[in-house]
Amino acid sequence: MIAAGDTTERILAAATALFGERGYAGTTTRAIAEAAGVNEVTLFRRFESKAGVLRAIGERFAEQAAGFAAARQPDPGDTRATLLALARSEIASAAQNGGAAIRLAFDARTVPEVAEILGEGPRRNMDALAAYMAERQNAGDLRQDLDSRVLAEAFFSMTSSYVMYRMVLGAEEMPSDPALDATIGQLVDLYLSGADTRGNV
């Protein structure tokens, strides 16, 4: 017998992949169930509808988002360590879910159901990261002459472009874990070289 948690994970993984490939409107609950290896009734029992599946995926995206994760870091007062952890999380999430996130962001412009379910998530994520940046500015770690939202946008630009360059444009493969970790460290140091009050790290 399949464990309940495994079934839920398979449905969400299948839906994420299909939303990325076909978009929300082009994906049926039957296709999600078939890709997950379950029957459609199981999907409806767990999520009630396709919108319920999307809502669960949106909650997963939010859990992994840097803005929401900043306050959960072991020592948010350690700016470099926190930004390093957030960059790792953002890049891992984008590598895993980037196709679906991008497609759903476009769908939100034309599909009211997607806009209603996911619409506030990116803005709240940006607000949360900007609030963290403002805290670190007030603590004297980050330059106070920069707008905290600009600092947040620059951070997201750095992490998103790293993944998009490789995955969306197919320019390069994602490096192995040790090489990726070293690269993320360099990206954060480069970011801090412009944002840190000392001008270097």
Side-chain angles (χ1 to χ4, degrees):
M1 183 171 182
I2 300 169
D6 292 344
T7 302
T8 298
E9 292 302 320
R10 289 210 319 267
I11 292 170
L12 292 178
T16 299
L18 289 170
F19 289 158
E21 293 168 12
R22 305 177 184 179
Y24 182 76
T27 300
T28 64
T29 52
R30 175 177 290 183
I32 295 169
E34 286 176 1
V38 301
N39 62 48
E40 212 171 352
V41 173
T42 300
L43 184 149
F44 289 130
R45 282 186 183 146
R46 291 181 192 280
F47 299 101
E48 296 183 1
S49 63
K50 185 168 71 167
V53 174
L54 179 61
R55 190 168 290 105
I57 289 170
E59 289 168 2
R60 289 280 178 92
F61 286 178
E63 287 171 9
Q64 297 169 347
F68 302 127
R72 297 193 307 262
Q73 296 306 305
D75 182 8
D78 184 337
T79 304
R80 184 183 184 279
T82 297
L83 292 179
L84 192 55
L86 297 181
R88 286 178 181 136
S89 177
E90 278 288 307
I91 288 172
S93 177
Q96 181 179 1
N97 305 313
I102 292 167
R103 185 70 181 257
L104 290 169
F106 281 109
D107 283 354
R109 294 173 165 236
T110 57
V111 182
E113 194 169 38
V114 176
E116 180 184 337
I117 293 170
L118 300 181
E120 289 299 302
R123 184 191 59 76
R124 289 189 298 114
N125 184 37
M126 176 66 75
D127 290 346
L129 188 59
Y132 174 74
M133 298 299 190
E135 287 175 16
R136 301 324 304 154
Q137 286 175 305
N138 292 334
D141 289 349
L142 299 178
R143 289 171 48 184
Q144 295 185 355
D145 62 316
L146 299 174
D147 186 294
S148 61
R149 290 190 72 80
V150 172
L151 288 169
E153 287 178 13
F155 180 85
F156 284 133
S157 295
M158 172 188 72
T159 55
S160 298
S161 64
Y162 181 79
V163 175
M164 285 188 196
Y165 176 71
R166 284 155 181 79
M167 295 188 67
V168 177
L169 300 178
E172 290 183 23
E173 294 288 326
M174 291 290 286
S176 62
D177 288 346
L180 178 59
D181 199 53
T183 299
I184 293 171
Q186 291 175 20
L187 287 171
V188 169
D189 288 344
L190 184 61
Y191 174 83
L192 285 173
S193 72
D196 189 273
T197 53
R198 299 178 300 268
N200 54 50
V201 291

